Amino acid sequence: MANLKEIRNRISSIGSTMQITSAMKMVSAAKLKKAQDAITAMRPYADKLTELLQGLSASLDGDGGSVFAENRAVNKVLVVAITSNRGLCGAFNSNIIKQCNTLVAETYAGKQVDFLSIGKKGNDILRKKNTIVANHSKVFDDLTFDHVAEIAEFLMEQFTVGNYDKIELVYNKFKNAATQIVMSEQFLPIVSMEGDASKAADYIFEPSKVEIVKQLIPKSLKTQLYKAIRDSFASEHGARMTAMHKATDNAKELRNQLKLTYNKARQAAITNEILEIVGGAEALNN
């Protein structure tokens, strides 16, 4: 059994760790509220814009379509991996890395798969075995639509000039503080609406349907990427808050166990001292 001083040091160390994890939990909870409000407010707009664009694109003739809707034979794929810049958030980052590895080994086996990383954690791991064409980890320092739009423009350019036949987003979709859903979402080419394309024909278009689609596509793609990064940002804080909550509970349980061990060891030491005193007294009497 460990001596009393060693157990006291461990109890003190665990107490300090509890203070850190508890503080990190409260910080993440505060940041989560703001991030959750942002993604909740943005989703209806982004989803409706995407739905409208898909409906319009599906109703266009082949010659009137955009280059962003061009379906090619998939030989070169660019995967946008959205992770976090910091750890201590449970399986948040490892789930994204696992999905990326699945895309390389199974979905696009035999194809050229490159990565664009958003987040230091994903970049540090993926670059060991894969090609990273760009790293935009600094976007989280000032997460605004304008900064994300620059990344979206780069992706659109890569697809337009033919460097890649398909671009896919991999990120954590925010559901609640305890649940994040790993999403693998096609960014380019634009996915056409399933079902009857004639449903989009009820609109009156001015100046023309083709012109409106050409103007909407870049805006829709930028919004789609911004929504994905916002989703990941909110999921990160939710995952970290949950992880720090569990860490605090585990530390509290371990501290209680050590306190029990300490009390038992202290009681045993006192009992041994009493026995030694009684034994010494008996020896003097005899």
Side-chain angles (χ1 to χ4, degrees), residues 154-223:
F154 172 79
L155 294 175
M156 287 186 280
E157 180 184 0
Q158 292 296 307
F159 183 81
T160 302
V161 299
N163 290 341
Y164 296 99
D165 304 312
K166 187 176 182 180
I167 299 178
E168 195 157 339
L169 307 179
V170 179
Y171 64 97
N172 282 293
K173 182 178 180 180
F174 179 80
K175 183 176 181 181
N176 54 52
T179 306
Q180 299 83 37
I181 304 171
V182 178
M183 299 292 294
S184 185
E185 185 177 284
Q186 183 170 316
F187 185 70
L188 286 169
I190 297 171
V191 180
S192 298
M193 177 182 289
E194 297 181 357
D196 188 6
S198 62
K199 294 179 180 179
D202 296 334
Y203 297 103
I204 298 175
F205 301 97
E206 180 67 33
S208 69
K209 186 185 296 186
V210 174
E211 189 65 28
I212 291 174
V213 169
K214 288 182 179 179
Q215 293 180 12
L216 272 181
I217 284 177
K219 184 175 184 179
S220 175
L221 291 172
K222 293 173 184 178
T223 303

Side-chain angles (χ1 to χ4, degrees), residues 8 46 51 53 70 88 101 130 139 168 224 228 253 277:
R8 282 199 303 268
E51 178 186 342
L53 180 63
E70 179 184 350
L88 296 177
N101 291 335
N130 305 279
V139 71
E168 195 157 339
Q224 182 183 356
E253 182 180 349
I277 293 172

